[in-house]
Amino acid sequence: IMGFDIPNLHTLKLEVIEDNEWALNFYEKSEFKKEGKLKDFVFENGKYKNVVVMGLINKNENKNSQ
């Protein structure tokens, strides 16, 4: 993942509106994991929608560098 080119970056986070199946599938295929849900977090098209929080941990991080 390109974002992990930044030194000492341990995790990447993102938020996706729950009914955006295309984005959820894309991020899951990119190894992001669902970490939580923000209920009624955004107001869109006249109704409140849930948002899924996803994250990816840098598995290749050098744990000895600080």
Side-chain angles (χ1 to χ4, degrees):
I1 300 284
M2 197 149 106
F4 288 131
D5 292 341
I6 299 170
N8 299 317
L9 183 63
H10 182 67
T11 64
L12 296 174
K13 302 289 185 197
L14 60 89
E15 298 175 353
V16 180
I17 295 175
E18 188 174 46
D19 63 5
N20 188 342
E21 291 295 324
W22 186 91
L24 288 170
N25 289 331
F26 175 81
Y27 291 126
E28 285 176 340
K29 287 178 185 175
S30 300
E31 299 185 24
F32 280 83
K33 305 293 183 211
K34 292 180 182 176
E35 296 185 345
K37 185 185 295 188
L38 305 171
K39 295 189 176 193
D40 292 343
F41 194 70
V42 297
F43 190 78
E44 181 179 79
N45 298 324
K47 65 179 187 174
Y48 286 97
K49 294 185 176 184
N50 297 336
V51 168
V52 176
V53 178
M54 301 181 81
L56 178 65
I57 296 174
N58 185 357
K59 296 175 186 169
N60 299 318
E61 179 180 27
N62 183 354
K63 299 197 185 309
N64 296 325
S65 67
Q66 294 197 15

